Amino acid sequence: MLFIAQALKLDKAKDEKSVYFPFKGISRIMSANFKVLVLNGPNLNMLGRREPDKYGTQTLAEVMQSLIKCAEQHDVTLTHFQSNSEAELINTIHDHYGKVDCIIINPAAFTHTSIAMRDALLSISVPFYEVHISNVHAREPFRHTSYFSDVAKGVICGLGATGYHAALLAAIDQLRNQNNSN
Ligand SMILES: O=C1C[C@@](O)(C(=O)O)C[C@@H](O)[C@@H]1O
């Protein structure tokens, strides 16, 4: 059965948004191969070493590896990019115009400063989820302001690295619902 499902997926799912797959009376909707871009901003390359009381002990590579595994289980292609440079992050957002279904972004310190990154995200009209590992609202007042939250599809903070998974699952759910209603 797995073999049949995979063959069906290979033949059809690339071209179709969803595949109706009835098997022994059970109807299964297989998701299209959604594409998700995950962006991490400045200093997140230091995860694991950086203020572990606030950001945990997992490295960024470990967090992203487990997120990619989760994405694969849901037939989602996940691309990850981290940069300490605002310009690189903006250029990466532009480069993905028309190429991804959703963005998950932890803008890190740029959350509180970057109108340019907000405008970049709006310029490509792709829904995005804002993630913060720590609970920014329980920290210094300057972290309570975000240039992203009011235009984000959703905002997750304070769940640690689990927040990335929560955003990914929410994004998949939302994309599937959108597909099924089209
Ligand atoms: O770099 C970061 C990380 C952060 O985005 C978080 O994930 O909790 C919170 C930001 O305020 C901070 O500048």
Side-chain angles (χ1 to χ4, degrees):
M1 177 186 145
L2 186 65
F3 180 75
I4 298 168
Q6 278 173 347
L8 248 183
K9 189 170 84 183
L10 282 176
D11 290 347
K12 295 175 104 187
K14 273 184 194 151
D15 305 321
E16 293 182 3
K17 284 192 164 182
S18 63
V19 179
Y20 182 67
F21 183 57
F23 186 75
K24 287 190 179 168
I26 300 168
S27 298
R28 295 175 56 188
I29 302 288
M30 289 171 59
S31 65
N33 189 334
F34 296 122
K35 294 180 180 61
V36 174
L37 172 66
V38 179
L39 292 173
N40 277 299
N43 301 308
L44 291 168
N45 55 312
M46 296 302 285
L47 281 187
R49 282 174 287 175
R50 174 190 183 198
E51 301 179 85
D53 54 315
K54 293 187 182 74
Y55 301 115
T57 53
Q58 275 188 299
T59 64
L60 185 62
E62 286 165 350
V63 173
M64 288 304 126
Q65 255 166 35
S66 108
L67 197 67
I68 287 168
K69 207 180 265 179
C70 175
E72 281 170 0
Q73 283 163 1
H74 289 87
D75 195 25
V76 167
T77 303
L78 191 150
T79 308
H80 171 240
F81 180 72
Q82 187 278 331
S83 178
N84 297 325
S85 147
E86 191 176 20
E88 276 185 10
L89 289 161
I90 290 170
N91 289 337
T92 302
I93 292 167
H94 292 169
D95 289 347
H96 284 80
Y97 174 70
K99 295 187 185 151
V100 289
D101 300 295
C102 172
I103 294 177
I104 294 170
I105 182 166
N106 183 345
F110 291 144
T111 307
H112 321 296
T113 61
S114 183
I115 298 171
M117 274 176 63
R118 171 198 173 98
D119 286 350
L121 286 164
L122 291 174
S123 78
I124 65 163
S125 299
V126 167
F128 73 90
Y129 291 80
E130 175 185 349
V131 173
H132 300 286
I133 297 167
S134 65
N135 179 358
V136 284
H137 300 289
R139 299 182 63 191
E140 304 95 318
F142 65 81
R143 293 186 205 275
H144 300 180
T145 302
S146 165
Y147 280 103
F148 298 78
S149 299
D150 64 310
V151 285
K153 191 92 194 159
V155 182
I156 294 164
C157 76
L159 300 186
T162 306
Y164 291 97
H165 288 261
L168 180 62
L169 294 177
I172 293 168
D173 202 42
Q174 186 250 318
L175 290 167
R176 278 184 184 155
N177 286 340
Q178 202 176 288
N179 257 2
N180 293 338
S181 64
N182 284 343

